[in-house]
């Protein structure tokens, strides 16, 4: 028998990361994954897993060796037909990825968002005023869902009818990145109808001339992207822009409700709104996982992953890796959360992150001005999804701030 320094035995885990036990509470599994080694073979899906920040960050950055074009879910688009036409952003590599990406980067950039800021702050204030009429409410439905569903579809410029389809569509889309389990099964019956509705919202005739959707069609008119690409780029906004922000807002509201000292600190210094949101995205990682596919044999942490194989990156595990973060399980506004991989990293890093941050800044600012205390008032219920870490219910009790 021969051994060499270039060959490392890859540790194995038989745990199904998409099983309900792990989806309910992934932290123990994440710790086992990180501690087992830089790369772990998951027998349940026969894929290679990365749980440490160093390797997840490196994998996200190495688009040359680890492609997205074969899909960023378990299914390999080279061998199996995708359930919908692939995204031109998420499920594409350079050079095809780059023109649609450049278009969205401009349309969703900080400069372009300045004109939305005042209206979103006013919307958030009005919503919070209305919600605070009762001291107890469900922060998921009343705030985390309600606020993005008010402002984001308007900003894209889709009509009012049918917006109730957005969350179920996103829930199925994010389930479909995982294995074909019960979570995918439960969404299958409605997906044709939901997809048809989403696709119909991407046409220029239905999009308001003031919105992101119309800006995308203008880019097609200028030749920055083709008219064939434009509807798929609009579809990316409707796919990636709703459930993600809902669960990001739910995460920050949950973090504050369970860390009263951090709420007091935030109220004294509302300039911490953006740190708070990024710290909550680090802590909860609303997008828990994405896959890549090895283009050729790739060396990661001493192991060689054969070309064509899927690699599962655990963003949530990396964001709580004690090798990278001190007291990783604590929500702490004195920490610098930058470098978290909750929005990804590299060329695919969340193009909508400025939109998400603005939504959270508006909502948290409105709450900070009006709420002295926020606490959990009933059972916190998780919503299981193959990709998203989500809540279905967050009952809270609030004490209004005294008015001067
Ligand atoms: C990041 C993300 C999630 C889901 C869908 C898409 C992107 C898309 O581009 O369609």
């Amino acid at each position: 028998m021969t051994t060499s320094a270039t060959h490392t035995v890859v540790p194995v885990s038989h745990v199904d990361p998409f099983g309900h036990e792990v989806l309910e509470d992934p932290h123990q599994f994440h710790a086992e994954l990180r501690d087992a080694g830089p790369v772990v073979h998951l027998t349940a899906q026969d894929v290679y897993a990365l749980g440490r920040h160093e390797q997840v960050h490196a994998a996200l950055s190495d688009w040359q060796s680890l492609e997205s074009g074969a899909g960023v879910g378990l299914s390999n688009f080279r061998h199996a037909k995708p359930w919908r036409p692939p995204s031109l952003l998420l499920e594409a590599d350079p050079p095809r990825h780059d023109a649609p990406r450049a278009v969205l980067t401009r349309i969703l950039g900080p400069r372009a968002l300045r004109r939305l800021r005042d209206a979103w702050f006013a919307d958030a204030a009005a919503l919070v005023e209305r919600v605070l009429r009762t001291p107890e409410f469900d922060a998921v439905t009343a705030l985390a869902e309600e606020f993005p569903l008010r402002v984001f579809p308007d900003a894209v410029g889709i009509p009012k009818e049918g917006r109730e389809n957005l969350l179920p569509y996103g829930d199925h889309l994010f389930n479909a990145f995982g294995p074909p389990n019960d979570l995918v099964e439960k969404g299958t019956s409605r997906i044709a109808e939901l997809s048809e509705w989403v696709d119909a919202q991407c046409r220029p005739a239905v999009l308001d001339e003031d919105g992101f959707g119309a800006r995308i069609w203008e880019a097609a008119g200028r030749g920055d992207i083709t008219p064939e690409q434009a509807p798929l780029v609009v579809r990316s906004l409707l796919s990636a822009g709703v459930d993600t922000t809902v669960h990001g807002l739910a995460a920050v509201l949950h973090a504050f409700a369970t860390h009263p000292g951090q709420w007091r600190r935030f109220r004294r210094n509302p300039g911490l709104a953006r740190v708070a949101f990024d710290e909550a995205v680090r802590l909860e990682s609303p997008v828990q996982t994405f896959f890549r596919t090895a283009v050729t044999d790739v060396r990661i942490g001493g192991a060689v992953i054969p070309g064509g194989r899927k690699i599962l990156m655990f963003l949530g595990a990396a964001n709580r890796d004690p090798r990278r973060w001190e007291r990783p399980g604590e929500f702490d506004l004195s920490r610098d959360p930058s470098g978290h991989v909750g929005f990804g990293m590299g060329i695919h890093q969340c193009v909508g992150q400025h939109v998400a941050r603005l939504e959270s800044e508006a909502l948290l600012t409105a709450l900070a001005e009006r709420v002295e205390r926020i606490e959990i008032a009933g059972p916190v219920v998780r919503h299981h999804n193959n990709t998203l870490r989500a809540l279905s219910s967050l009952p809270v009790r609030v004490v209004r701030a005294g008015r001067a």
Side-chain angles (χ1 to χ4, degrees):
M1 196 182 106
T2 57
T3 56
S4 78
T6 60
H7 181 90
T8 306
V9 175
V10 176
V12 165
S13 169
H14 302 299
V15 174
D16 177 5
F18 303 97
H20 285 280
E21 220 174 293
V22 173
L23 296 180
E24 180 66 25
D25 180 4
H27 301 122
Q28 182 59 38
F29 169 66
H30 287 171
E32 289 164 14
L33 197 61
R34 289 187 303 256
D35 291 344
V39 182
V40 178
H41 182 229
L42 298 182
T43 56
Q45 280 83 32
D46 191 17
V47 299
Y48 295 91
L50 313 178
R52 296 184 185 174
H53 185 275
E54 180 187 343
Q55 279 76 32
V56 170
H57 188 284
L60 287 164
S61 304
D62 187 3
W63 58 268
Q64 294 92 335
S65 309
L66 302 175
E67 65 176 341
S68 292
V72 298
L74 176 62
S75 170
N76 189 324
F77 293 176
R78 312 284 179 228
H79 309 304
K81 184 173 147 56
W83 72 272
R84 61 173 200 167
S87 165
L88 301 180
L89 290 123
L90 182 73
E91 295 157 331
D93 300 298
R96 291 179 53 242
H97 160 269
D98 299 339
R101 172 74 192 205
V103 164
L104 272 195
T105 298
R106 208 167 345 96
I107 291 170
L108 303 179
R111 280 179 52 101
L113 297 186
R114 261 184 247 156
R115 51 188 292 273
L116 292 172
R117 185 180 178 87
D118 291 349
W120 284 14
F121 272 63
D123 271 351
L127 172 63
V128 168
E129 279 296 337
R130 201 193 67 200
V131 168
L132 292 184
R133 283 183 208 153
T134 56
E136 289 191 20
F137 53 87
D138 189 328
V140 169
T141 49
L143 295 175
E145 293 183 350
E146 182 71 20
F147 186 59
L149 283 171
R150 284 183 166 209
V151 298
F152 186 71
D154 278 348
V156 176
I158 65 169
K160 302 272 183 213
E161 315 86 64
R163 291 180 179 189
E164 69 279 2
N165 292 327
L166 286 166
L167 285 172
Y169 178 80
D171 189 51
H172 182 73
L173 165 66
F174 282 99
N175 275 327
F177 293 121
N181 58 14
D182 59 311
L183 291 168
V184 176
E185 177 61 33
K186 81 169 159 97
T188 306
S189 63
R190 286 197 68 202
I191 195 55
E193 163 215 339
L194 294 171
S195 287
E196 192 182 351
W197 178 82
V198 166
D199 292 345
Q201 312 311 306
C202 300
R203 301 196 323 262
V206 308
L207 289 161
D208 186 89
E209 61 182 22
D210 267 349
F212 300 143
R215 299 281 89 73
I216 290 167
W217 278 99
E218 280 171 17
R222 285 193 303 270
D224 296 347
I225 53 173
T226 69
E228 290 73 34
Q229 290 176 313
L232 281 174
V233 177
V234 179
R235 192 193 67 177
S236 281
L237 297 185
L238 300 178
S239 300
V242 186
D243 298 62
T244 49
T245 49
V246 166
H247 300 305
L249 292 173
V252 75
L253 294 170
H254 178 261
F256 274 129
T258 51
H259 296 74
Q262 298 300 311
W263 181 250
R264 287 191 293 274
R265 180 183 203 157
F266 170 51
R267 290 198 67 221
R268 275 182 264 119
N269 183 1
L272 288 171
R274 282 169 178 253
V275 168
F277 185 61
D278 269 77
E279 172 66 349
V281 170
R282 180 196 69 79
L283 186 70
E284 293 299 332
S285 304
V287 174
Q288 287 274 299
T289 46
F290 268 132
F291 293 79
R292 292 289 188 263
T293 309
V295 176
T296 55
D297 292 1
V298 183
R299 178 175 295 277
I300 300 178
V304 175
I305 294 168
R309 301 299 300 274
K310 285 275 176 176
I311 293 163
L312 178 50
M313 306 175 296
F314 284 84
L315 313 181
N319 281 339
R320 287 178 178 231
D321 183 356
R323 295 158 190 79
R324 171 64 179 78
W325 312 95
E326 279 170 36
R327 295 165 288 100
E330 283 178 34
F331 177 70
D332 181 359
L333 299 186
S334 63
R335 167 197 322 275
D336 175 7
S338 61
H340 76 73
V341 291
F343 287 124
M345 193 54 62
I347 65 166
H348 291 284
Q349 192 182 45
C350 180
V351 75
Q353 60 185 283
H354 306 289
V355 183
R357 290 205 184 95
L358 185 60
E359 286 180 34
S360 95
E361 193 186 356
L363 187 60
L364 291 177
T365 302
L367 285 165
E369 286 167 356
R370 294 168 179 82
V371 173
E372 186 164 312
R373 274 211 332 260
I374 176 166
E375 61 195 25
I376 305 285
V380 176
V381 183
R382 296 225 152 261
H383 172 74
H384 293 185
N385 181 284
N386 282 334
T387 302
L388 301 168
R389 182 149 171 82
L391 293 175
S392 60
S393 182
L394 176 62
V396 294
R397 183 180 310 111
V398 298
V399 176
R400 284 205 68 148
R403 272 171 284 191

